[in-house]
Amino acid sequence: MKGIALKNNIAVKLLALIVLSLVVSTLTFLFLGHHFSFQFWTDPSHYAGNLVMKYNSIILLIFLISIGIFIGIFIFPVNKKLTYIKYLTNQVSRISEVHELGLAVEIKGNDELAQLALSINAMSRELQRKFERERENEKTKNELITNLSHDLRSPLTSIIGYIDLIKRNKFNHEDELTEYIDTIYHKSQNLKKLLDELFEYTKLSNPGIRLDYQEIELGGLLEQMIGEYLPIFEREGLALQKDFPREDIEIDLDVEQMVRVFTNLLENARKYSIKPSEVRVSLNKAPDHVRISFINGVKKLPAQQPEKLFERFYKEDSSRTEESGSGLGLAIAQKIVELHKGSIGVEYLANEIEFVIELPLSQYSGFTLSGSSRFEHEF
Ligand SMILES: Nc1ncnc2c1ncn2[C@@H]1O[C@H](COP(=O)(O)OP(=O)(O)O)[C@@H](O)[C@H]1O
Ligand SMILES: [Mg+2]
């Protein structure tokens, strides 16, 4: 086996053991035989009866003692190895039991058996890791299905209820019928949105997902989006303020995906802001990354632990209104930002909530540190 010195090779060790046992037992036989023969033939008067018989039986005894020594020297270490092999066999069958996954075997010596024990330990750890990941995936999948069935059931139940009323002509006048149809339409739209977002989230969770990077000027992209949202925000009593550096910030992004992130954050600010109030979007550049922040005012801060907002299907009870979405918006945003090797976080300020995105700048960024940075305050 590779990596094992000759002196630690089991075959070499066995051979050495045989030679050693043979040498020691032969020497014992020669020494005792010689000693006894010398004593026997110098003074045979000590031995009564048939001398040849006596001599032969004592020599036979010495021979048996030598064989015993041979077996003793050989068997003792070999038996130790056999016991170790038996121990390894037992441990391997224990590792195959689910509750013993990750079990480590004792490493003894430095030979092929020790190598085998090391490999068993590595295999056991790997099995445990794979099993735990599998269990975690299964749990996540089950949670997803539970949440989804809950979120699908309630709108579907009310859609079925309204259709049933219409079918049985259980409405008093035309306006009531229009109202039922409107509700059915809105609930169906929400269901479609939920399924679309779920599809998006599942797609982004696929390990094989690839981003379609394009170089883009980030300030320009955000400015264009803010421009589009401006009338919608104004209609709802929200002032939109931007705080951008003057320089261009060139960055490699999957534009379509990042637009989805910004849309989610702007939509959330529109939906969950206290009105009237001000929503602030700012962009800053550090040497190796950009920081984009969205701040809006809130009546009450959602969720005790801010990280909860990024959990799939998390919706604050107070935001479970007609306007409330699937609870997947921030989870999708987080997936997209992380695929860009960036981070997204939330901070609670006094009566305000801030979402911060940090994205690494591409190494080909055209942004230069020289030149003044003018911040504009518009809208
Ligand atoms: N800008 C915000 N201001 C206040 N609360 C927010 C804001 N963005 C998100 N939240 C809270 O976080 C929850 C999760 O947001 P999100 O994942 O986008 O799901 P959704 O908008 O579909 O409910 C929202 O239900 C809301 O309670
Ligand atoms: Mg949302």
Side-chain angles (χ1 to χ4, degrees):
M1 191 186 268
K2 251 202 256 169
I4 302 254
L6 202 60
K7 70 179 168 58
N8 288 323
N9 188 301
I10 286 191
V12 174
K13 272 185 174 174
L14 263 177
L15 211 63
L17 203 60
I18 292 173
V19 172
L20 178 75
S21 325
L22 213 58
V23 168
V24 173
S25 52
T26 312
L27 284 178
T28 313
F29 179 69
L30 288 179
F31 174 74
L32 289 180
H34 177 76
H35 188 72
F36 164 70
S37 300
F38 183 75
Q39 205 191 27
F40 188 89
W41 296 119
T42 343
D43 189 6
S45 57
H46 268 93
Y47 303 91
N50 186 338
L51 282 185
V52 175
M53 262 295 265
K54 276 254 152 74
Y55 179 77
N56 282 349
S57 30
I58 292 178
I59 287 292
L60 183 68
L61 184 71
I62 293 174
F63 181 69
L64 290 177
I65 291 174
S66 309
I67 297 265
I69 289 173
F70 176 85
I71 293 174
I73 293 178
F74 184 70
I75 288 295
F76 182 68
V78 166
N79 200 37
K80 253 174 72 180
K81 290 283 169 207
L82 284 176
T83 317
Y84 187 48
I85 290 175
K86 230 185 267 169
Y87 161 78
L88 290 181
T89 316
N90 276 338
Q91 297 300 90
V92 167
S93 37
R94 276 179 69 191
I95 290 170
S96 63
E97 311 271 324
V98 169
H99 61 277
E100 296 276 26
L101 274 177
L103 185 94
V105 300
E106 204 181 319
I107 313 284
K108 280 186 188 161
N110 196 17
D111 52 20
E112 283 102 332
L113 284 183
Q115 283 283 321
L116 176 68
L118 281 172
S119 308
I120 290 173
N121 283 349
M123 179 196 76
S124 174
R125 276 196 305 274
E126 186 59 21
L127 270 178
Q128 186 186 31
R129 213 173 52 79
K130 284 215 169 103
F131 183 80
E132 273 165 12
R133 204 171 46 202
E134 205 56 42
R135 193 152 51 181
E136 195 53 41
N137 281 348
E138 192 60 31
K139 198 173 136 222
T140 316
K141 234 181 268 169
N142 287 343
E143 273 172 18
L144 190 85
I145 292 170
T146 314
N147 286 325
L148 188 66
S149 0
H150 175 264
D151 281 27
L152 287 177
R153 195 180 296 121
S154 40
L156 266 177
T157 311
S158 79
I159 289 174
I160 293 168
Y162 282 112
I163 291 180
D164 187 51
L165 289 178
I166 297 172
K167 247 177 74 185
R168 292 187 289 121
N169 286 327
K170 287 273 172 122
F171 51 89
N172 296 326
H173 41 79
E174 200 74 2
D175 286 354
E176 206 166 42
L177 174 66
T178 314
E179 198 186 301
Y180 289 176
I181 292 174
D182 272 354
T183 314
I184 292 172
Y185 181 74
H186 276 116
K187 297 234 177 246
S188 312
Q189 288 285 332
N190 282 347
L191 274 181
K192 182 173 181 303
K193 194 166 166 249
L194 168 65
L195 290 174
D196 285 348
E197 290 197 342
L198 183 74
F199 178 67
E200 202 52 48
Y201 180 82
T202 317
K203 213 168 69 180
L204 289 166
S205 306
N206 186 337
I209 177 99
R210 282 177 162 263
L211 294 180
D212 183 12
Y213 277 103
Q214 255 175 282
E215 195 183 69
I216 184 127
E217 201 282 294
L218 191 56
L221 176 71
L222 272 166
E223 209 146 332
Q224 189 189 336
M225 291 189 68
I226 287 174
E228 285 165 18
Y229 269 90
L230 195 62
I232 306 169
F233 272 57
E234 267 177 3
R235 248 196 328 263
E236 303 207 10
L238 291 167
L240 198 47
Q241 189 188 73
K242 69 166 188 153
D243 189 352
F244 289 2
R246 219 179 141 201
E247 286 87 351
D248 285 354
I249 300 179
E250 305 288 347
I251 185 167
D252 283 334
L253 295 177
D254 183 323
V255 180
E256 195 185 319
Q257 299 291 2
M258 201 48 74
V259 164
R260 200 187 297 277
V261 174
F262 299 149
T263 308
N264 276 342
L265 293 180
L266 286 168
E267 269 296 326
N268 280 352
R270 180 187 69 77
K271 286 196 286 189
Y272 307 119
S273 280
I274 185 166
K275 284 141 197 158
S277 70
E278 188 181 76
V279 175
R280 302 196 298 283
V281 182
S282 65
L283 178 60
N284 284 293
K285 186 193 169 286
D288 58 348
H289 69 271
V290 280
R291 182 181 192 276
I292 311 145
S293 137
F294 295 78
I295 300 180
N296 63 274
V298 282
K299 194 155 55 178
K300 180 178 156 279
L301 290 166
Q304 284 272 307
Q305 301 129 311
E307 330 68 76
K308 265 199 135 0
L309 302 189
F310 293 96
E311 280 178 13
R312 288 168 319 176
F313 296 108
Y314 179 83
K315 285 182 269 187
E316 185 74 347
D317 276 345
S318 58
S319 17
R320 285 177 189 269
T321 59
E322 272 297 291
E323 271 274 59
S324 92
S326 59
L328 283 169
L330 286 175
I332 290 176
Q334 187 175 41
K335 281 247 179 261
I336 297 174
V337 171
E338 283 173 358
L339 283 171
H340 281 84
K341 311 239 174 327
S343 65
I344 180 166
V346 58
E347 256 185 62
Y348 287 174
L349 317 167
N351 299 324
E352 278 186 328
I353 186 165
E354 178 179 27
F355 287 90
V356 178
I357 299 176
E358 288 190 345
L359 295 170
L361 278 167
S362 100
Q363 58 185 119
Y364 305 111
S365 165
F367 187 85
T368 49
L369 277 174
S370 59
S372 66
S373 179
R374 181 173 66 85
F375 287 86
E376 297 167 8
H377 293 270
E378 290 174 19
F379 307 125

